[in-house]
Amino acid sequence: TVYAFLGIVSSVNQHIIETPTDGQTLASKEQSIPWSLVVSVLKDIEAVVEVAAQHFVGDDRKWSFLAVTEAVKAGVRLAAFGESGYKMLLQGGEVANEEEINILDENFGAKSNGVPVIYPMNGHFQNGHGVASNGLDGKAGFVSKSLEGRAVAALNKFGQNAKMTSDPMWMKKALPPPDPPAMVVEKPTLASIWSAKGISGRLFLLGEVVHIFRPLLYVLLIKKFGIKSWTPWLVSLAVEITSLGIHSRATDLHQRGGKVHQLSSAERDELKRRKMMWALYVMRDPFFTRYTKRHLQKAEKVLDPVPLIGFLTGKLVELVEGAQTRYTYTSGS
C-alpha cells in the first residue's frame, strides 16, 4: 500500500510538471479528464488489489477482483483512445500521444482523405497553401514553400510592422505582450475514420481495441481454466500477435492504395515496446514453471561455487521467483 501510494503521488506530481500552460496548449489537448494520470493511478492500485485479495480470499479467488480491475482499466483506455482522436495509445495510455505536426508541409491545412487536419486561428489559405503572419512578438507561425505564399506572408508582416510603428509608445508599454497564436486541431471522429479512411482506418481501430482488451481476456481465461493451464497463455500471445499483425496490415493497405500512412517516432517506438513485452511470456505460468525456472536453477547451481557471484545469482533467482508469483509484475498491462 505504501509503495502504491508513493507511486500515485509521483504520477500526480509528474502530471503537474508536464501539463503545459494555457498559452502553449492546443485546443485539441483540452480534456476534461487526464486519462494518462488515471491509467497510472489504476496500475498502482491494481498491485494493492492483488495483494489484498490474495491475503483475504486466497489465490484462486483473487482473479475475480483482478478481472474487475482490468475491466475498469480497459474502459478508461477505451475512453482515452476516443478522447485522443483514435490515436495509438502509448505505454498503455500512460503517455499522451502528441502527434508531430510538420508546419512546412505543402498540404498544410488541406484535407486528408476528406478529414480536416488543422486550421490556423490567425491566417488564411491561398491556393491550398497555408499562410500565417508573424505575431506581434516577432515569432513566426508557419510559412508556405511556394513563392506566392511567401510573398503574401511578407506583405502581411510588413503591414503588421507598419501598424506597430504607427502606435504611440505609451500604448506599446501599456499593452502586455500577446500570447503566441493558438492552433485548433480538429480531432477525427469514429464516423469520419470509418468512412473516410476506409479499410486501413478500420483495421487500425480494430487492432488497437484488441490490444486494449487483451489483459481482460487473459485474466478471464485464467479465472476459468486456472493459472496452470496453457489456454490463457496461448490465447493471450495469439491476441498480441494478431493486434500487431492488424496494425502492420493497416499500414500496408494504406501504402498500396497510394496513400502515405506514416507513424510518428513515438508510435514506432510503441510498436517496438509491445514486441519487447513478449519477453514477459517466459515469466508467466505455465511456461515459467516448466521451462524458465528449471534453467534458472541450473544456472544457480553452476555459479554457486563462485565467490560473490554465486551469492548474487542466488539472490537474483530468489527475487525472480518471488516477482513471478505476482500477476501485476508480469502481466505487461
Side-chain angles (χ1 to χ4, degrees):
T1 304
V2 172
Y3 176 80
F5 175 75
L6 294 176
I8 293 172
V9 172
S10 176
S11 299
V12 173
N13 187 45
Q14 189 67 23
H15 173 74
I16 295 173
I17 293 174
E18 294 178 352
T19 300
T21 59
D22 293 339
Q24 298 172 338
T25 305
L26 295 178
S28 63
K29 298 180 184 177
E30 295 179 359
Q31 298 179 356
S32 57
I33 300 176
W35 295 111
S36 58
L37 177 61
V38 175
V39 173
S40 300
V41 171
L42 284 175
K43 292 186 70 174
D44 290 324
I45 293 177
E46 187 176 28
V48 181
V49 170
E50 180 182 7
V51 174
Q54 185 173 356
H55 177 74
F56 290 107
V57 300
D59 291 337
D60 296 333
R61 298 176 60 187
K62 74 176 183 179
W63 298 108
S64 299
F65 296 90
L66 288 174
V68 173
T69 307
E70 288 293 356
V72 174
K73 286 169 60 179
V76 170
R77 283 171 174 159
L78 203 60
F81 183 47
E83 185 72 20
S84 66
Y86 301 97
K87 293 188 291 186
M88 184 181 296
L89 294 181
L90 304 181
Q91 297 185 17
E94 290 188 85
V95 178
N97 189 349
E98 300 175 358
E99 188 175 356
E100 299 171 358
I101 301 175
N102 183 9
I103 62 175
L104 293 180
D105 190 359
E106 280 291 336
N107 295 322
F108 190 86
K111 292 186 177 181
S112 175
N113 298 329
V115 181
V117 180
I118 188 168
Y119 300 91
M121 294 291 290
N122 57 342
H124 60 279
F125 295 103
Q126 181 110 1
N127 297 332
H129 301 288
V131 180
S133 60
N134 291 349
L136 294 179
D137 55 356
K139 295 181 180 179
F142 62 91
V143 181
S144 174
K145 291 182 180 179
S146 64
L147 294 176
E148 183 182 3
R150 285 200 293 262
V152 174
L155 290 175
N156 204 346
K157 179 180 178 182
F158 175 78
Q160 286 188 356
N161 292 335
K163 183 179 181 300
M164 291 178 61
T165 305
S166 63
D167 290 337
M169 292 300 296
W170 63 270
M171 184 178 295
K172 294 180 183 179
K173 295 180 180 179
L175 294 176
D179 293 331
M183 298 181 189
V184 177
V185 180
E186 184 174 334
K187 294 183 298 185
T189 62
L190 183 60
S192 65
I193 293 177
W194 195 262
S195 60
K197 294 195 174 182
I199 299 178
S200 61
R202 299 170 192 175
L203 284 177
F204 172 80
L205 290 175
L206 177 62
E208 202 64 17
V209 170
V210 168
H211 175 74
I212 290 173
F213 282 98
R214 195 276 312 170
L216 176 59
L217 177 63
Y218 179 54
V219 174
L220 290 176
L221 290 175
I222 292 178
K223 183 176 180 296
K224 181 177 181 180
F225 296 100
I227 190 64
K228 300 298 182 181
S229 173
W230 282 100
T231 301
W233 192 91
L234 291 173
V235 171
S236 178
L237 179 60
V239 169
E240 292 213 55
I241 295 175
T242 301
S243 176
L244 285 173
I246 291 175
H247 279 303
S248 177
R249 180 64 174 170
T251 306
D252 183 58
L253 284 176
H254 223 85
Q255 292 176 351
R256 288 185 181 181
K259 305 171 185 177
V260 180
H261 182 71
Q262 292 183 346
L263 299 176
S264 65
S265 59
E267 291 174 339
R268 290 193 296 269
D269 293 340
E270 172 62 19
L271 291 179
K272 294 178 182 178
R273 187 193 71 87
R274 293 181 185 182
K275 292 179 181 179
M276 293 179 62
M277 295 296 288
W278 292 356
L280 289 174
Y281 280 91
V282 303
M283 294 290 294
R284 300 174 188 169
D285 281 329
F287 190 94
F288 180 85
T289 302
R290 298 192 180 185
Y291 301 103
T292 308
K293 187 176 181 179
R294 183 189 310 168
H295 291 290
L296 288 176
Q297 291 175 347
K298 288 182 180 179
E300 183 182 7
K301 290 181 181 180
V302 172
L303 297 175
D304 185 62
V306 182
L308 186 60
I309 296 179
F311 173 77
L312 294 177
T313 302
K315 290 299 179 182
L316 178 61
V317 172
E318 183 180 351
L319 289 174
V320 170
E321 292 178 351
Q324 189 273 333
T325 59
R326 301 295 182 197
Y327 164 80
T328 51
Y329 292 165
T330 62
S331 65
S333 64

